[in-house]
Amino acid sequence: MDNVSRRDFLKLGAATAALPAGLTANAAAAATAKTTGGKSSPTYMFFNSAEAAFIEAATERLIPPDATGPSARQSEVPRFIDRQLSGAWGTGERLYRSGPWREGSVSQGYQLPFTPAELFRSALHGITADVQNEHQRDFAQLAPDVQDAYLKELEAGKRTIGDVPSQLFFQSLWEMTIEGYFGDPVYGGNKDMAAWSMVGFPGAYADYYDLVDQHNLVYRRAPISLGQDGRGMIHLRPVNATTPPGNAAAGHSGTAHGAKNKK
Amino acid sequence: MATRLPEVDAVLLGVGLVGTMLGRELTRAGLKVVGLERGDPRSTVPDFQSPQMHDELRYSIHQGLMQDSARETVTFRNRDSETALPVRRFASFLPGTGVGGAAVHWNGQTYRFQDSDFRMRSRVLERYGAKIMGEDLRVQDWGVTAADLEPHYDRFEYLLGTSGRAGNIGGAKQPGGNPFEDSRSRDYPTPPMKEPYGSALFRRAAESLGYHPFPQPSSNLSQPYTNPEGMELKTCMFCGFCERFACEHYAKSSPQTILLPKLLGDKRFTLRTRCQVLRINLDSGRKQATGVTYVDGAGREFEQPARLVIVGMFALNNVRMLLLSGIGIAYDPQTEKGVVGRNYAYQTVSGAQVFFDESVNINPYMRSGASGTVIADFVSDNFDHGPLGFVGGAFIGEAMSHGRPIEFHPVPPGTPPWGLEWKRAVARHYNHTSSLTVHGSSAAVRQNHLDLDPTYKDAWGLPLLRMTFDFPDNDVRMSAYLTQKAQDIARAMIGGTAGRQVAAAPRKGPYTITQYQTTHNTGGTIMGADRSSSVVNPYLQSWDVHNVFVIGASNFPQNASYNPTGTVGALAYRAAEAIVQRYLKSPGPLVQA
């Protein structure tokens, strides 16, 4: 490893290690965020303010905060979903969109004309009216246990929210929540890779050749994102591993792998 | 109006694994060959490089290397009485696209089918009698034996550099290899991969129960290797981004790493990408193909005359191309007349999960596509089916390929599906869970078949392929029995330690296209010695149009317990040999009907 990338590595390791388990918005994000109701929100490109309020509140119940790891909102899952829906995925990338449209069996999967963006827009419109009708207030203003009960009814297909079956909307919301929580931070979620740190997934590393046969290795390393390649770090062999007593030592000084990242 | 191009000796439909292999063999025999590929040209550098390649959302969730279902999909129903509807987004299976085809994003599991698979019908009848076959079962013999294919398996494995340990060389059993394999002429070209921790735990548990674990044969390589074509492959780094991804390391055997640069350097070969073949054209007597009609990336239509047509696309697309071209008679499940589209089969995959306590660190992200340890004790006819009431089998193994967390975040049964308890369970179990695979065979039955959809069309206005499939009762029984065996091994893995548990679920119907299972779609252009029950002869030559060869897993009369690519490669080399050594000298049927 040359001196420059080693110094960068040490800096990154120290910065990541210093982060608390439950993360708060960092200064850079705060600078571009606006403030609503005392909490910061990203600049939304797809959601209007009512939709954003629901998405922020609902995803926070799907993955709530505690000391184990970040919540959906702490991971910026709402920003991830907003970006997905405002881009190619939202407009139906890779979705076969020719009719005729017919209701199929469960085995036949999704058979509605909505793109993901249209599906969210329609369902969120229906949910706003449905929650107002039931509770005379917005979802975000409900108590957490009331929010959970409502989400469970969406999940079970028991709410009428317009043309989109409520269980289908719930399933889409949950899938995108997971994607935003565990996907690479370059897509706008998984802030500070805290969800990866929570489970111990190291991210975009390319090489565990020297570690794979060190069985029962206790491996701890700050995760790495696609966005960090500019530091020339992706191809480093992982270091800083520790082994429990009785196992072979994991000591391995980092070496650059792959000519393209050598400086 | 199509522009007519100068005639060539051979045209390849698809430049994936089969197209690249056939292209190489035919150009080497002196033929002028054009390869038509519907997708983009791709190379290890710069297309497959990190960090972009290590993007789970782009490649695994959003299927960046796969067939675009917006333009070309299939329709699906469980049974003939239903109306088939389009698979609007691929999920259960993921056909690839682009130069190199699915062999770019495959996992590299490289098996040989057994002789008892190739003679399945004869073998079952000999050993058990007709009663074990339910009335709907249509399993057949392939028209080849393991001995016929051995030299071609061998050649294919040495092309790929497959890493493994032989179990039977020239009839002599080899310690540590698969004791059930048929005799092979020599050992694998490279030794087995390193064994990850979960696989080692599986091996010890399987041995304690009297089974015979062996390292899964892998075409992610254990060491550097130079193949007979002079292509150099490198050592797999266990990066955990293999299946659904392309390899940045030159360590996964794919056309780009084993053969394609040699083919592209041959002046007799021309590659045309972004070319969608609409149909194979026939002469007025419909006994010979005259070439193909295709549309290029700009929408212009061309006729490419050719003396020989090699259909080497994904299995489902091979079937569709014959139906669109009117080659062979389409299968009718009511009358059982016709052959094209019959014996569509799949893979009956299930699994068991082993939830350890936090003293066991599985490190699931330190994996390769094909690393792992498996047993063949329940493969094919390696066990007595007499009392069991089903045919076929499965390999069982610990062959995890990744720990990418969007897809992999296991929680034990009873965990709430979301919320705080879910999050805590994910954090608790992610690094302490091992998954066992039960990779089951798929029997052909009368009612499962492929034909053209009467309603839905692709982006070029042609009918989509229609799939009618559900898991046969035979396979549901097989899965129940063998998933229980996997569960027993999983229990042996956890021993009596507190804080550990096992979860398992056999495969049950109805088959649903909403959940990923496998991309081992087989049949529809099946091979056989009898033209009344097969589409191609044992050299993969169309019974109806002798200058059309159809090559791929669409040739399988039913699917076996193992992954299909090794057998596709062996069949492709055998067909190439027959074309070069016999057909070119005397064009005509290689087998008299």
Side-chain angles (χ1 to χ4, degrees):
Chain A
M1 182 190 292
D2 64 75
N3 288 334
V4 174
S5 60
R6 182 171 183 82
R7 196 161 57 238
D8 283 349
F9 164 70
L10 293 172
K11 226 162 52 185
L12 174 79
T16 311
L19 289 170
L23 292 154
T24 55
N26 67 21
T32 58
K34 59 180 176 171
T35 300
T36 50
K39 287 181 180 175
S40 65
S41 293
T43 300
Y44 287 110
M45 294 182 280
F46 175 78
F47 293 128
N48 63 35
S49 59
E51 292 166 341
F54 173 85
I55 293 292
E56 289 177 358
T59 56
E60 195 73 345
R61 294 313 304 158
L62 296 177
I63 307 181
D66 79 342
T68 311
S71 70
R73 190 139 180 226
Q74 286 164 342
S75 288
E76 303 254 35
V77 166
R79 177 170 70 171
F80 167 86
I81 297 175
D82 181 76
R83 288 187 180 180
Q84 289 295 311
L85 294 178
S86 66
W89 189 256
T91 54
E93 182 184 34
R94 292 179 170 272
L95 184 66
Y96 181 80
R97 294 189 67 201
S98 297
W101 305 93
R102 298 177 59 136
E103 193 175 344
S105 67
V106 172
S107 305
Q108 290 173 309
Y110 182 71
Q111 292 296 338
L112 290 172
F114 298 104
T115 63
E118 291 166 347
L119 185 141
F120 268 72
R121 186 125 281 152
S122 172
L124 291 171
H125 188 77
I127 285 171
T128 301
D130 185 45
V131 173
Q132 272 292 337
N133 188 42
E134 179 107 355
H135 297 286
Q136 291 76 52
R137 62 182 76 185
D138 290 333
F139 180 86
Q141 296 164 324
L142 302 175
D145 59 327
V146 181
Q147 289 177 333
D148 285 357
Y150 185 78
L151 290 171
K152 281 179 184 163
E153 291 194 0
L154 286 180
E155 183 182 20
K158 290 179 180 167
R159 304 306 306 189
T160 302
I161 57 170
D163 290 335
V164 177
S166 76
Q167 73 275 20
L168 188 63
F169 169 72
F170 180 90
Q171 187 192 338
S172 299
L173 177 64
W174 177 232
E175 284 172 3
M176 294 187 84
T177 299
I178 295 278
E179 290 164 13
Y181 193 66
F182 281 132
D184 194 281
V186 294
Y187 291 101
N190 192 11
K191 184 173 160 54
D192 297 323
M193 298 176 276
W196 286 353
S197 295
M198 176 186 82
V199 296
F201 177 62
Y205 288 115
D207 179 356
Y208 300 103
Y209 182 78
D210 292 326
L211 303 180
V212 62
D213 53 351
Q214 295 181 32
H215 289 170
N216 208 21
L217 181 72
V218 176
Y219 179 70
R220 293 278 182 272
R221 188 177 185 187
I224 198 163
S225 156
L226 302 177
Q228 287 168 268
D229 187 51
R231 297 165 182 259
M233 305 260 289
I234 295 294
H235 280 267
L236 292 186
R237 290 199 173 164
V239 293
N240 281 14
T242 55
T243 47
N247 277 296
H252 188 291
S253 61
T255 52
H257 172 78
K260 87 181 181 77
N261 282 328
K262 283 181 182 161
K263 294 200 170 87
Chain B
M1 187 67 192
T3 303
R4 190 179 157 90
L5 299 168
E7 185 179 66
V8 294
D9 296 320
V11 62
L12 311 173
L13 279 63
V15 185
L17 180 64
V18 165
T20 305
M21 290 171 67
L22 269 288
R24 181 67 168 153
E25 296 302 295
L26 297 179
T27 50
R28 204 145 46 184
L31 270 57
K32 190 173 180 213
V33 179
V34 164
L36 299 174
E37 165 57 44
R38 68 178 170 185
D40 288 322
R42 305 181 293 183
S43 306
T44 304
V45 176
D47 300 302
F48 303 159
Q49 288 304 294
S50 231
Q52 288 88 348
M53 190 46 64
H54 289 197
D55 184 341
E56 184 181 15
L57 185 74
R58 176 179 176 184
Y59 290 108
S60 200
I61 307 300
H62 290 176
Q63 304 173 10
L65 299 178
M66 308 305 174
Q67 177 174 321
D68 182 357
S69 42
R71 300 201 296 184
E72 206 180 346
T73 184
V74 300
T75 69
F76 163 73
R77 57 185 176 178
N78 280 126
R79 54 194 60 83
D80 276 337
S81 58
E82 297 174 351
T83 301
L85 296 176
V87 175
R88 294 189 179 274
R89 244 191 237 299
F90 288 118
S92 165
F93 50 89
L94 303 174
T97 197
V99 168
V104 166
H105 74 256
W106 74 312
N107 255 339
Q109 294 153 289
T110 313
Y111 288 96
R112 299 182 177 195
F113 288 2
Q114 294 184 185
D115 195 58
S116 50
D117 296 317
F118 297 121
R119 299 192 309 112
M120 186 168 180
R121 182 172 193 86
S122 307
R123 163 99 179 197
V124 166
L125 294 178
E126 283 159 22
R127 187 169 175 185
Y128 306 109
K131 224 176 97 182
I132 198 167
M133 301 249 220
E135 64 176 74
D136 287 332
L137 241 53
R138 296 291 181 274
V139 299
Q140 295 183 191
D141 293 353
W142 295 50
V144 291
T145 64
D148 293 335
L149 282 182
E150 201 288 331
H152 307 289
Y153 273 125
D154 178 80
R155 189 177 173 206
F156 186 62
E157 288 164 359
Y158 273 73
L159 178 75
L160 270 55
T162 306
S163 298
R165 181 174 290 136
N168 180 345
I169 299 178
K173 292 276 159 97
Q174 306 293 316
N178 173 7
F180 298 97
E181 73 175 357
D182 296 305
S183 175
R184 58 171 61 238
S185 52
R186 52 179 170 166
D187 205 344
Y188 285 97
T190 54
M193 300 191 84
K194 290 182 174 187
E195 185 178 53
Y197 187 35
S199 304
L201 295 172
F202 171 86
R203 175 170 47 77
R204 293 200 276 273
E207 277 169 352
S208 76
L209 296 171
Y211 301 132
H212 303 84
F214 62 95
Q216 173 164 257
S218 166
S219 294
N220 326 128
L221 269 53
S222 62
Q223 62 181 44
Y225 174 73
T226 302
N227 76 7
E229 298 278 354
M231 296 287 297
E232 294 176 23
L233 290 99
K234 299 194 187 314
T235 306
C236 171
M237 294 289 124
F238 292 86
C239 75
F241 291 84
C242 194
E243 185 174 49
R244 306 190 188 190
F245 300 82
C247 183
E248 75 213 59
H249 291 296
Y250 294 89
K252 172 159 66 173
S253 310
S254 63
Q256 279 82 349
T257 55
I258 60 173
L259 196 53
L260 190 63
K262 301 292 177 187
L263 177 60
L264 293 175
D266 190 324
K267 287 194 174 72
R268 287 163 293 200
F269 182 72
T270 305
L271 172 66
R272 294 190 199 132
T273 54
R274 285 266 159 210
C275 292
Q276 184 80 14
V277 178
L278 304 181
R279 64 184 169 274
I280 300 164
N281 300 314
L282 302 178
D283 68 7
S284 55
R286 306 189 75 75
K287 293 292 182 199
Q288 281 209 68
T290 57
V292 301
T293 297
Y294 71 90
V295 178
D296 76 359
R300 295 170 296 207
E301 196 167 307
F302 294 90
E303 185 190 342
Q304 175 62 67
R307 299 157 69 89
L308 182 61
V309 175
I310 306 294
V311 185
M313 305 182 288
F314 183 63
L316 295 172
N317 297 328
N318 281 354
V319 181
R320 179 166 179 248
M321 184 53 59
L322 292 202
L323 291 167
L324 290 173
S325 308
I327 297 175
I329 299 169
Y331 173 70
D332 179 343
Q334 301 308 317
T335 63
E336 297 200 57
K337 297 265 167 37
V339 285
V340 183
R342 69 173 283 164
N343 284 37
Y344 171 69
Y346 194 44
Q347 197 91 68
T348 316
V349 181
S350 59
Q353 283 185 311
V354 190
F355 295 96
F356 291 102
D357 59 285
E358 287 168 290
S359 73
V360 176
N361 296 289
I362 295 296
N363 299 335
Y365 41 83
M366 298 182 187
R367 296 300 298 234
S368 88
S371 63
T373 303
V374 304
I375 60 167
D377 297 74
F378 298 103
V379 161
S380 190
D381 200 28
N382 298 343
F383 58 113
D384 183 6
H385 290 76
L388 301 175
F390 64 82
V391 299
F395 80 74
I396 299 170
E398 202 279 12
M400 296 170 71
S401 62
H402 71 95
R404 302 184 301 263
I406 298 175
E407 300 149 273
F408 179 80
H409 47 265
V411 293
T415 305
W418 46 271
L420 207 49
E421 292 311 310
W422 172 85
K423 184 179 81 172
R424 288 172 178 161
V426 168
R428 158 70 181 77
H429 293 284
Y430 172 84
N431 203 42
H432 313 288
T433 303
S434 177
S435 295
L436 307 189
T437 299
V438 181
H439 196 269
S441 57
S442 179
V445 290
R446 181 189 56 76
Q447 61 271 23
N448 287 339
H449 68 107
L450 304 169
D451 61 0
L452 292 177
D453 191 272
T455 305
Y456 294 96
K457 306 270 196 288
D458 68 10
W460 294 266
L462 297 173
L464 296 180
L465 189 73
R466 177 169 67 177
M467 173 188 295
T468 304
F469 181 81
D470 203 353
F471 293 111
D473 292 341
N474 177 83
D475 294 353
V476 172
R477 286 196 293 274
M478 182 270 295
S479 187
Y481 180 74
L482 294 179
T483 306
Q484 181 61 51
K485 297 294 182 194
Q487 193 166 351
D488 295 344
I489 299 171
R491 284 195 200 292
M493 287 171 74
I494 64 172
T497 308
R500 300 180 175 185
Q501 62 177 304
V502 163
R507 183 58 64 185
K508 289 178 178 164
Y511 168 67
T512 166
I513 55 92
T514 61
Q515 174 196 21
Y516 187 75
Q517 296 172 43
T518 173
T519 308
H520 303 164
N521 311 74
T522 68
T525 71
I526 67 174
M527 59 191 291
D530 174 0
R531 71 170 295 167
S532 72
S533 59
S534 58
V535 175
V536 295
N537 67 27
Y539 300 100
L540 314 184
Q541 178 185 38
S542 165
W543 286 111
D544 298 280
V545 181
H546 67 74
N547 63 340
V548 171
F549 286 77
V550 186
I551 305 173
S554 56
N555 299 136
F556 297 5
Q558 57 274 335
N559 202 5
S561 311
Y562 286 134
N563 305 60
T565 303
T567 300
V568 171
L571 289 173
Y573 264 149
R574 187 168 187 263
E577 182 187 78
I579 293 169
V580 170
Q581 294 189 358
R582 294 178 54 202
Y583 183 82
L584 294 180
K585 288 169 187 160
S586 172
L590 293 169
V591 177
Q592 292 306 321

PDB file of all heavy atoms in Angstrom, chain A residues 65-76:
ATOM      1  N   PRO A  65     -36.294   3.691  15.167  1.00  0.00           N
ATOM      2  CA  PRO A  65     -34.972   3.918  15.767  1.00  0.00           C
ATOM      3  C   PRO A  65     -34.814   3.163  17.080  1.00  0.00           C
ATOM      4  O   PRO A  65     -35.786   2.955  17.811  1.00  0.00           O
ATOM      5  CB  PRO A  65     -34.976   5.434  16.021  1.00  0.00           C
ATOM      6  CG  PRO A  65     -36.425   5.782  16.205  1.00  0.00           C
ATOM      7  CD  PRO A  65     -37.215   4.806  15.364  1.00  0.00           C
ATOM      8  N   ASP A  66     -33.621   2.716  17.342  1.00  0.00           N
ATOM      9  CA  ASP A  66     -33.206   2.300  18.686  1.00  0.00           C
ATOM     10  C   ASP A  66     -31.696   2.138  18.650  1.00  0.00           C
ATOM     11  O   ASP A  66     -31.061   2.403  17.628  1.00  0.00           O
ATOM     12  CB  ASP A  66     -33.918   1.029  19.173  1.00  0.00           C
ATOM     13  CG  ASP A  66     -33.337  -0.252  18.594  1.00  0.00           C
ATOM     14  OD1 ASP A  66     -32.622  -0.171  17.561  1.00  0.00           O
ATOM     15  OD2 ASP A  66     -33.573  -1.327  19.167  1.00  0.00           O
ATOM     16  N   ALA A  67     -31.118   1.687  19.741  1.00  0.00           N
ATOM     17  CA  ALA A  67     -29.658   1.631  19.815  1.00  0.00           C
ATOM     18  C   ALA A  67     -29.067   0.548  18.922  1.00  0.00           C
ATOM     19  O   ALA A  67     -27.865   0.543  18.657  1.00  0.00           O
ATOM     20  CB  ALA A  67     -29.234   1.394  21.269  1.00  0.00           C
ATOM     21  N   THR A  68     -29.899  -0.399  18.442  1.00  0.00           N
ATOM     22  CA  THR A  68     -29.380  -1.485  17.595  1.00  0.00           C
ATOM     23  C   THR A  68     -28.796  -0.957  16.298  1.00  0.00           C
ATOM     24  O   THR A  68     -27.798  -1.479  15.794  1.00  0.00           O
ATOM     25  CB  THR A  68     -30.524  -2.466  17.251  1.00  0.00           C
ATOM     26  OG1 THR A  68     -31.207  -2.806  18.441  1.00  0.00           O
ATOM     27  CG2 THR A  68     -30.010  -3.701  16.563  1.00  0.00           C
ATOM     28  N   GLY A  69     -29.469   0.047  15.725  1.00  0.00           N
ATOM     29  CA  GLY A  69     -29.043   0.553  14.436  1.00  0.00           C
ATOM     30  C   GLY A  69     -29.986   1.636  13.985  1.00  0.00           C
ATOM     31  O   GLY A  69     -30.959   1.960  14.671  1.00  0.00           O
ATOM     32  N   PRO A  70     -29.722   2.201  12.817  1.00  0.00           N
ATOM     33  CA  PRO A  70     -30.482   3.369  12.385  1.00  0.00           C
ATOM     34  C   PRO A  70     -31.932   3.030  12.032  1.00  0.00           C
ATOM     35  O   PRO A  70     -32.250   1.890  11.681  1.00  0.00           O
ATOM     36  CB  PRO A  70     -29.729   3.819  11.132  1.00  0.00           C
ATOM     37  CG  PRO A  70     -29.138   2.564  10.590  1.00  0.00           C
ATOM     38  CD  PRO A  70     -28.758   1.753  11.799  1.00  0.00           C
ATOM     39  N   SER A  71     -32.786   4.018  12.104  1.00  0.00           N
ATOM     40  CA  SER A  71     -34.154   3.891  11.613  1.00  0.00           C
ATOM     41  C   SER A  71     -34.156   4.175  10.117  1.00  0.00           C
ATOM     42  O   SER A  71     -33.153   4.602   9.533  1.00  0.00           O
ATOM     43  CB  SER A  71     -35.059   4.891  12.316  1.00  0.00           C
ATOM     44  OG  SER A  71     -34.736   6.201  11.874  1.00  0.00           O
ATOM     45  N   ALA A  72     -35.322   3.951   9.500  1.00  0.00           N
ATOM     46  CA  ALA A  72     -35.464   4.247   8.073  1.00  0.00           C
ATOM     47  C   ALA A  72     -35.177   5.721   7.807  1.00  0.00           C
ATOM     48  O   ALA A  72     -34.497   6.072   6.851  1.00  0.00           O
ATOM     49  CB  ALA A  72     -36.866   3.874   7.599  1.00  0.00           C
ATOM     50  N   ARG A  73     -35.700   6.573   8.654  1.00  0.00           N
ATOM     51  CA  ARG A  73     -35.525   7.995   8.405  1.00  0.00           C
ATOM     52  C   ARG A  73     -34.083   8.433   8.661  1.00  0.00           C
ATOM     53  O   ARG A  73     -33.526   9.239   7.926  1.00  0.00           O
ATOM     54  CB  ARG A  73     -36.493   8.777   9.295  1.00  0.00           C
ATOM     55  CG  ARG A  73     -36.526  10.223   8.918  1.00  0.00           C
ATOM     56  CD  ARG A  73     -37.890  10.812   8.923  1.00  0.00           C
ATOM     57  NE  ARG A  73     -37.805  12.203   8.536  1.00  0.00           N
ATOM     58  CZ  ARG A  73     -38.434  13.180   9.167  1.00  0.00           C
ATOM     59  NH1 ARG A  73     -39.210  12.915  10.208  1.00  0.00           N
ATOM     60  NH2 ARG A  73     -38.300  14.422   8.751  1.00  0.00           N
ATOM     61  N   GLN A  74     -33.479   7.873   9.694  1.00  0.00           N
ATOM     62  CA  GLN A  74     -32.065   8.174   9.934  1.00  0.00           C
ATOM     63  C   GLN A  74     -31.194   7.704   8.767  1.00  0.00           C
ATOM     64  O   GLN A  74     -30.143   8.295   8.498  1.00  0.00           O
ATOM     65  CB  GLN A  74     -31.601   7.497  11.240  1.00  0.00           C
ATOM     66  CG  GLN A  74     -32.131   8.197  12.479  1.00  0.00           C
ATOM     67  CD  GLN A  74     -32.013   7.351  13.737  1.00  0.00           C
ATOM     68  OE1 GLN A  74     -31.851   6.132  13.665  1.00  0.00           O
ATOM     69  NE2 GLN A  74     -32.119   7.984  14.890  1.00  0.00           N
ATOM     70  N   SER A  75     -31.633   6.661   8.103  1.00  0.00           N
ATOM     71  CA  SER A  75     -30.898   6.168   6.926  1.00  0.00           C
ATOM     72  C   SER A  75     -31.280   6.897   5.647  1.00  0.00           C
ATOM     73  O   SER A  75     -30.805   6.547   4.576  1.00  0.00           O
ATOM     74  CB  SER A  75     -31.129   4.661   6.754  1.00  0.00           C
ATOM     75  OG  SER A  75     -30.453   3.937   7.751  1.00  0.00           O
ATOM     76  N   GLU A  76     -32.181   7.866   5.735  1.00  0.00           N
ATOM     77  CA  GLU A  76     -32.633   8.636   4.560  1.00  0.00           C
ATOM     78  C   GLU A  76     -33.360   7.758   3.543  1.00  0.00           C
ATOM     79  O   GLU A  76     -33.254   7.971   2.337  1.00  0.00           O
ATOM     80  CB  GLU A  76     -31.459   9.371   3.890  1.00  0.00           C
ATOM     81  CG  GLU A  76     -30.721  10.310   4.845  1.00  0.00           C
ATOM     82  CD  GLU A  76     -31.018  11.786   4.598  1.00  0.00           C
ATOM     83  OE1 GLU A  76     -32.176  12.093   4.219  1.00  0.00           O
ATOM     84  OE2 GLU A  76     -30.103  12.604   4.796  1.00  0.00           O
TER      85      GLU A  76
END
